[in-house]
Amino acid sequence: MAKILEKKLLREPDVFYFKLAAPLISKKAQPGQFVIVRLHDRGERIPLSLADIDPRDGTISLIVMAVGKTTAEMSVMKAGADVLDLCGPLGTPTHIENHGKVILVGGGFGIAPLYPIARAFKGVGNEVFAIMGARSKDLLIYEKEMAGVCDRVIVTTDDGSKGMKGLVTQALQQELEQGGVGLVMTVGPAIMMKAVSEATRPFGIKTLVSLNPIMIDGTGMCGGCRVRVGDQVKFACVDGPDFDGHQVDFDDLMSRLRRYAREERAAAERWSEGCRMKDLADPADPAVELLELPDPFEEVKGG
Ligand SMILES: Cc1cc2nc3c(=O)[nH]c(=O)nc-3n(C[C@H](O)[C@H](O)[C@H](O)COP(=O)(O)OP(=O)(O)OC[C@H]3O[C@@H](n4cnc5c(N)ncnc54)[C@H](O)[C@@H]3O)c2cc1C
Ligand code: FES
């Protein structure tokens, strides 16, 4: 059981910040690792990256984007509520060493896990640049936090509403052409990580990507998170999540991410239908408390 100590809406309407009491995890966790969360005894297990770790006050921070049933359920939890299980720290920490100049490229919720990674690279003497991309300025998160731990932050927006107009790869290309880059690391949507890896390939610059395949146990036993890296099959939960971006088969990763789309859609629809039923019911009616949210998988069994 882990108590939610703080919750904030980070970005309208669907990105939330949570600070949780996790004294044991915070003592061991390192940048690049993640936890697996189960909200309640009927809940599924979902992996979430550590957006911050504070062993002094025994807390960890998570940034959650509500994209489906479980993340939507978490987004309505309030400070003071308990998360049933928090398993971690999981995964291999990001390898931190001095490369001279490091460029971190983040998109979507991927910017959040880059925050402790940026601090760690800075801590061993690197010059750290961050390139943060979003479709428009309202969709950016963690800009101030990243500016606090990086030497320079470059913002790109697809519509030009903030920073440079265009994609993160355009800003990256300009930086690469100036030379002197020892490492590029990227966290975000698979398609963005693929494009970043292709941008660095001609320059021969080592490029780390933090992969986000479907994970179930997170301990190397179920095989759900397998990814193709070079001529090998790796389990992202134990061998990663960081891998050499020039070796990753992104097309295989993206097709595996789409595999459960139908079931995920059905689960989200049933959950929001359950919420609507609760909203419509008379709150004074004692039966409301007993109104169970439906089994998210019932509809798709045998399908
Ligand atoms: C190592 C790792 C770190 C992650 N860190 C974060 C984070 O910090 N913040 C954040 O908001 N999200 C993070 N994710 C993604 C997050 O786990 C999924 O968004 C979440 O599981 C979606 O569940 P859902 O029921 O809300 O949505 P669903 O409708 O079930 O799924 C929506 C999409 O999320 C992905 N997804 C679903 N289930 C899983 C799963 N078990 N494992 C991985 N991906 C899944 C799929 O691409 C799917 O299309 C991370 C994923 C991985 C693997
Ligand atoms: S999540 Fe099961 S092996 Fe990685």
Side-chain angles (χ1 to χ4, degrees):
M1 200 86 100
K3 192 164 287 302
I4 300 173
L5 301 174
E6 197 183 329
K7 178 198 175 185
K8 285 189 286 201
L9 174 66
L10 211 57
R11 192 194 77 192
E12 286 279 5
D14 56 0
V15 181
F16 296 86
Y17 167 93
F18 291 91
K19 185 185 267 198
L20 290 111
L24 296 178
I25 294 178
S26 71
K27 274 196 185 68
K28 288 203 70 179
Q30 291 175 59
Q33 291 189 293
F34 63 94
V35 289
I36 287 204
V37 169
R38 192 165 64 115
L39 299 179
H40 51 78
D41 60 3
R42 297 179 68 204
E44 64 173 344
R45 296 158 57 84
I46 63 159
L48 295 170
S49 305
L50 293 165
D52 207 359
I53 309 154
D54 192 342
R56 291 162 308 170
D57 69 359
T59 62
I60 58 165
S61 302
L62 306 173
I63 306 288
V64 180
M65 188 184 294
V67 292
K69 176 186 173 275
T70 303
T71 45
E73 274 184 311
M74 189 158 175
S75 74
V76 296
M77 291 179 81
K78 297 189 173 124
D82 291 312
V83 165
L84 181 62
D85 301 325
L86 203 54
C87 172
L90 298 169
T92 304
T94 298
H95 184 68
I96 304 292
E97 63 175 301
N98 194 325
H99 297 273
K101 181 170 165 186
V102 172
I103 299 186
L104 304 174
V105 186
F109 73 78
I111 293 167
L114 279 175
Y115 172 66
I117 292 172
R119 197 169 48 195
F121 274 123
K122 187 75 196 146
V124 297
N126 288 286
E127 191 182 357
V128 181
F129 286 11
I131 301 176
M132 300 170 43
R135 280 195 310 280
S136 90
K137 74 173 186 337
D138 305 329
L139 300 177
L140 275 170
I141 58 166
Y142 255 48
E143 192 187 341
K144 216 168 58 209
E145 288 81 355
M146 287 298 275
V149 292
C150 295
D151 294 283
R152 187 148 67 96
V153 171
I154 302 166
V155 169
T156 68
T157 48
D158 300 6
D159 64 1
S161 52
K162 183 153 193 189
M164 183 180 157
K165 183 175 189 317
L167 302 173
V168 285
T169 39
Q170 289 165 260
L172 176 62
Q173 183 74 23
Q174 291 180 3
E175 293 299 322
L176 295 174
E177 281 165 7
Q178 286 176 27
V181 179
L183 177 82
V184 171
M185 176 161 189
T186 179
V187 189
I191 189 78
M192 186 198 85
M193 294 191 285
K194 179 181 180 185
V196 167
S197 303
E198 288 313 316
T200 58
R201 196 189 294 276
F203 293 87
I205 294 169
K206 185 173 173 185
T207 301
L208 285 180
V209 296
S210 177
L211 298 189
N212 56 345
I214 300 288
M215 287 187 183
I216 302 163
D217 64 308
T219 59
M221 288 191 286
C222 71
C225 68
R226 63 184 181 276
V227 286
R228 288 179 188 281
V229 183
D231 56 5
Q232 293 185 308
V233 171
K234 298 277 187 187
F235 288 174
C237 67
V238 285
D239 301 321
D242 298 351
F243 293 100
D244 176 351
H246 297 151
Q247 298 286 320
V248 169
D249 182 341
F250 282 102
D251 296 333
D252 181 59
L253 171 72
M254 289 187 278
S255 98
R256 286 179 62 80
L257 279 170
R258 286 191 293 269
R259 182 158 299 174
Y260 302 105
R262 184 174 156 267
E263 289 84 349
E264 287 159 356
R265 218 171 22 250
E269 279 164 12
R270 285 179 59 76
W271 183 76
S272 62
E273 180 57 29
C275 291
R276 271 198 296 280
M277 281 160 62
K278 271 205 159 175
D279 283 349
L280 289 172
D282 176 1
D285 182 347
V288 172
E289 274 308 302
L290 302 174
L291 197 55
E292 283 272 323
L293 295 184
D295 176 353
F297 296 107
E298 200 171 281
E299 193 168 283
V300 292
K301 269 176 201 157

